[in-house]
Amino acid sequence: MVSPVITGYYRYTDIFFEWHQALPEADRSPLRASLAQDAFGIDGAELFLGTLQNFETRLLFSSAQVEYLRYWLHAMGLTENLISLPYSDCLLTESSLRHVSPVTFKTKDELKGALKQIEKNNKRLKGADPMLKTRREIFERVRTLWAEKVGVWCALDFEAWDRDHTMLTEFGWSFVRWIDGQQVEEQGHLIVKEYRHYTNTFVQNNREHFSFGDSELVNRATFRTRIQNLVADLQKYGPLFLIFHDNNQDIKYLKSPAVNADLPNLNFLLPDAKPDSGVFVLDTSDLFAALEGEGGHNRRSLERVCRHLQVPTSFLHNAGNDAHYTLLAIKEMASGDPLDMQREKRWPNRTGNTAHPTAPQTGAGVKVKFEPWEEDSDYSDMEGVGPVIDKTKPEEQVAA
């Protein structure tokens, strides 16, 4: 009877520091030389970043890489026989891991830096808020699904009259899908004719300033039909990922009598594997909270998220613009490095016990410490050290 082949991952530290010690003396040097951190190819070294069930992160080799290394050493005549595999207790199967994603290191210094950062982050996340842990897991699943280039990723936004939220005045969408591996994008903006002259009291009136095409003026019946058709048509291309910024109100609008979109089975949990169909809800406010290390209920505005991601904005509170900036924000995060590496590249040395770097970091958290001028577009250098802001421009037009 043939035993089933079990695949999975090995901890980097087990392979690099422990594996050779269990081998005969003659096989140790060839293995150690092949694993040397100087042995980087032209395209660097691909490893894997895995999240354990306790939410700690580990750098990993795949079992396929380990198998290949054994056969390569023997084929090159560097070992007399195939060297034995690491002991079975080292193997992490898929059930041992919440998430795994590939990561490439160009140089040995990048790899060394990542190992140190992973160790720091694991200490800082001790006792972290469960909500933060969940957000971090969702962030990595989004990255994996985005890399698969599967389905349609569509950002939606509504605007309503601020004196009566049953009066929907605008709708905007911006989506991306893939044909033969190439991105295809579309965006649009609808204005409801019957409410065109209703002006807001508390929210900016930017419905006439769509920046990514021509707005369409439609009556309420057409407005309803167009949105229903859009949502139905996009589901023909596989899984549909509906993207919102703080989704609660927009989903209410989708289900309201003014729209009545056919969405009986919205999924708020992402699947572990690539789906073939289904409608899934993503929220850029949650994803950014994961990136900045926020575990509470504080949600950043779209303007603030885009500024921190260095996505320039103009004429926010136009539904078409807001949808497009929401899509750009998720693309920035989903197409980037794994969460902790991405955060560190964007805002280096801004987490943990930054006031006392030599103090213990266990439980210090991974919340990014932003400077005042990064948080407030109206912050002036007269109030502290920071960039001078031209206050003659609307807030939304100030580039990040």
Side-chain angles (χ1 to χ4, degrees):
M1 181 176 178
V2 179
S3 299
V5 177
I6 300 176
T7 61
Y9 299 87
Y10 294 95
R11 292 176 177 85
Y12 174 89
T13 50
D14 286 339
I15 296 300
F16 193 82
F17 297 110
E18 305 294 336
W19 187 15
H20 70 276
Q21 296 184 30
L23 300 178
E25 188 70 35
D27 294 334
R28 293 181 182 181
S29 293
L31 177 60
R32 292 186 67 181
S34 66
L35 290 170
Q37 292 183 13
D38 291 309
F40 281 76
I42 295 174
D43 297 323
E46 183 182 78
L47 296 172
F48 295 85
L49 207 57
T51 304
L52 304 179
Q53 292 297 334
N54 66 358
F55 292 96
E56 289 188 357
T57 301
R58 292 288 186 272
L59 197 60
L60 308 170
F61 283 97
S62 71
S63 56
Q65 289 175 314
V66 171
E67 286 282 6
Y68 176 83
L69 182 54
R70 295 171 67 221
Y71 283 97
W72 182 85
L73 288 171
H74 182 53
M76 293 294 103
L78 298 174
T79 59
E80 184 175 349
N81 300 300
L82 282 177
I83 61 175
S84 59
L85 286 166
Y87 57 91
S88 59
D89 288 349
C90 286
L91 185 67
L92 298 172
T93 60
E94 288 190 6
S95 62
S96 307
L97 297 161
R98 289 180 174 273
H99 184 270
V100 179
S101 62
V103 58
T104 300
F105 300 100
K106 296 291 186 182
T107 66
K108 66 176 182 179
D109 289 334
E110 279 190 16
L111 177 55
K112 287 179 179 178
L115 287 167
K116 290 180 181 178
Q117 193 62 48
I118 289 169
E119 184 179 2
K120 287 181 181 178
N121 289 333
N122 285 336
K123 289 180 179 179
R124 290 169 177 167
L125 285 165
K126 293 285 187 185
D129 189 299
M131 184 179 292
L132 176 58
K133 292 179 177 179
T134 299
R135 285 171 172 167
R136 286 170 58 86
E137 184 175 4
I138 291 172
F139 189 99
E140 291 302 335
R141 288 190 184 183
V142 167
R143 286 185 59 256
T144 298
L145 291 168
W146 178 266
E148 295 278 2
K149 298 182 179 180
V150 60
V152 181
W153 297 62
C154 182
L156 304 178
D157 186 71
F158 288 92
E159 293 292 323
W161 189 39
D162 62 4
R163 290 176 175 270
D164 183 350
H165 283 201
T166 65
M167 294 184 178
L168 302 184
T169 57
E170 302 172 58
F171 172 71
W173 72 94
S174 184
F175 72 73
V176 60
R177 64 187 184 93
W178 290 265
I179 299 177
D180 297 328
Q182 300 300 311
Q183 285 192 20
V184 177
E185 298 187 13
E186 181 185 303
Q187 48 275 324
H189 179 230
L190 305 179
I191 299 173
V192 177
K193 183 186 300 184
E194 289 89 337
Y195 303 136
R196 185 176 189 179
H197 300 294
Y198 282 60
T199 57
N200 289 325
T201 304
F202 309 106
V203 179
Q204 292 174 340
N205 294 281
N206 279 327
R207 74 186 64 166
E208 307 295 339
H209 299 290
F210 180 44
S211 303
F212 304 100
D214 296 323
S215 300
E216 297 181 65
L217 189 63
V218 298
N219 61 35
R220 285 181 297 177
T222 302
F223 181 81
R224 185 173 185 260
T225 302
R226 287 285 300 277
I227 298 171
Q228 290 175 344
N229 291 343
L230 175 70
V231 172
D233 289 345
L234 292 182
Q235 293 180 63
K236 298 175 182 177
Y237 302 105
L240 173 59
F241 300 94
L242 292 181
I243 309 159
F244 305 93
H245 188 81
D246 199 354
N247 65 61
N248 183 51
Q249 193 61 51
D250 288 309
I251 290 177
K252 287 181 180 177
Y253 291 150
L254 274 175
K255 294 181 175 181
S256 71
V259 177
N260 196 25
D262 185 19
L263 292 168
N265 297 308
L266 278 178
N267 296 288
F268 290 84
L269 295 176
L270 290 177
D272 294 327
K274 180 174 68 174
D276 295 321
S277 61
V279 182
F280 303 90
V281 174
L282 302 177
D283 195 317
T284 47
S285 65
D286 278 331
L287 293 175
F288 187 81
L291 185 60
E292 71 162 328
E294 171 61 54
H297 296 280
N298 295 327
R299 292 179 182 269
R300 299 281 191 174
S301 68
L302 179 59
E303 186 274 335
R304 191 72 55 85
V305 165
C306 287
R307 180 166 355 122
H308 286 315
L309 294 175
Q310 298 188 18
V311 174
T313 61
S314 62
F315 298 113
L316 292 171
H317 298 294
N318 171 291
N321 294 343
D322 284 6
H324 191 64
Y325 294 133
T326 299
L327 183 66
L328 291 180
I330 202 168
K331 287 172 68 174
E332 269 291 312
M333 293 183 281
S335 61
D337 288 320
L339 190 153
D340 291 317
M341 294 175 63
Q342 185 176 154
R343 185 191 62 244
E344 203 58 29
K345 283 185 178 179
R346 292 182 182 278
W347 309 293
N349 303 315
R350 306 277 286 276
T351 60
N353 200 340
T354 55
H356 305 284
T358 59
Q361 296 294 316
T362 301
V366 291
K367 181 70 181 290
V368 177
K369 277 53 169 200
F370 289 111
E371 299 293 346
W373 58 84
E374 295 176 294
E375 295 280 34
D376 187 355
S377 62
D378 288 330
Y379 192 92
S380 167
D381 65 339
M382 299 299 292
E383 301 168 79
V385 180
V388 178
I389 302 297
D390 182 357
K391 294 192 176 183
T392 64
K393 297 180 180 180
E395 178 177 344
E396 290 81 9
Q397 297 187 60
V398 179

